Amino acid sequence: QQQVKQSPQSLIVQKGGISIINCAYENTAFDYFPWYQQFPGKGPALLIAIRPDVSEKKEGRFTISFNKSAKQFSLHIMDSQPGDSATYFCAASSRRGSTLGRLYFGRGTQLTVWP
Amino acid sequence: EAGVTQSPTHLIKTRGQQATLRCSPISGHTSVYWYQQALGLGLQFLLWYDEGEERNRGNFPPRFSGRQFPNYSSELNVNALELEDSALYLCASSLTGANEQYFGPGTRLTVT
């Protein structure tokens, strides 16, 4: 079953706008939540990550919001630029048991930023 | 600092053949992870090696196997190739015990 659910599947945003991608998870053992950015023909690049002891983390134009009680987290891209057009993946991992070491990925969101 | 490198970039095989994919981690990283990125299925965890040992395995048949060498580079072997094995195979590396995984560019495997 899909351990991490991601939405929307695709997103079109005007240059300068805010892009918001949402993820939800079920396994309460997850304790690390990264976001990856992937351009066509490239491997995913680690963008930003958060742990459940904080509710928000900001790095430049990228912010993760985390809601532990709702088991949801989201990526906000402020002042979106055409160069941000890529596929974004959320993921989750745990340090425990059979899930140790593995990242569980969402299905991805294809972001297009129009100039 | 060099990132994760993978070879070959592309690989074309016939059904029933074997494929060998290679990965070199970031210098200083001892953990190597393999993922399959197939169309419509997203990124699926295959294997995790650390200090030469297999530490975890995803829900893939035994014909997917690998190993890690003393220099921490790794090899993924896929035996008895099937058409549905066509995918981008991604390798990632991390420091021992670290959550952050850094990915290479991948090997595109096509099975005909």
Side-chain angles (χ1 to χ4, degrees):
Chain A
Q1 74 280 21
Q2 191 74 15
Q3 296 248 11
V4 179
K5 295 181 181 178
Q6 183 173 345
S7 63
Q9 190 173 350
S10 62
L11 181 62
I12 300 173
V13 172
Q14 199 83 16
K15 179 183 175 183
I18 302 173
S19 303
I20 302 175
I21 304 170
N22 301 298
C23 286
Y25 64 97
E26 287 298 322
N27 190 341
T28 55
F30 287 149
D31 58 9
Y32 174 72
F33 302 88
W35 285 89
Y36 284 84
Q37 179 190 57
Q38 186 176 29
F39 292 104
K42 305 286 187 182
L46 180 60
L47 200 57
I48 186 173
I50 198 168
R51 298 185 191 280
D53 52 345
V54 297
S55 60
E56 187 175 282
K57 183 175 181 179
K58 184 176 180 179
E59 288 184 5
R61 296 185 294 109
F62 300 92
T63 299
I64 300 179
S65 296
F66 187 85
N67 186 328
K68 188 174 182 178
S69 60
K71 292 186 285 186
Q72 294 176 349
F73 58 110
S74 60
L75 177 69
H76 296 233
I77 305 174
M78 313 300 286
D79 186 27
S80 298
Q81 299 296 313
D84 296 331
S85 297
T87 301
Y88 292 81
F89 293 92
C90 62
S93 70
S94 164
R95 294 175 187 269
R96 307 181 204 172
S98 62
T99 62
L100 183 63
R102 59 188 291 179
L103 285 169
Y104 292 86
F105 283 88
R107 288 288 176 92
T109 296
Q110 189 158 354
L111 171 65
T112 302
V113 181
W114 288 101
Chain B
E1 179 185 284
V4 176
T5 59
Q6 293 186 243
S7 63
T9 305
H10 295 93
L11 192 56
I12 300 175
K13 292 285 186 178
T14 304
R15 190 171 53 183
Q17 287 187 318
Q18 178 195 39
T20 299
L21 290 64
R22 296 180 176 83
C23 171
S24 291
I26 292 171
S27 177
H29 286 193
T30 59
S31 279
V32 170
Y33 311 80
W34 287 95
Y35 291 83
Q36 182 195 66
Q37 187 173 25
L39 273 173
L41 294 176
L43 285 116
Q44 305 288 324
F45 170 78
L46 267 164
L47 290 158
W48 169 32
Y49 292 95
D50 183 65
E51 299 284 356
E53 300 286 330
E54 182 181 301
R55 302 295 186 185
N56 203 349
R57 181 182 183 86
N59 297 327
F60 282 84
R63 58 192 187 82
F64 286 84
S65 65
R67 54 180 171 165
Q68 187 177 33
F69 299 99
N71 66 354
Y72 304 113
S73 67
S74 177
E75 200 173 83
L76 175 69
N77 294 294
V78 188
N79 293 318
L81 284 165
E82 300 178 3
L83 296 177
E84 52 264 35
D85 296 333
S86 294
L88 181 68
Y89 288 84
L90 292 159
C91 172
S93 74
S94 76
L95 293 167
T96 298
N99 289 112
E100 296 80 5
Q101 296 184 22
Y102 299 91
F103 284 83
T107 292
R108 172 72 61 185
L109 174 63
T110 303
V111 183
T112 62

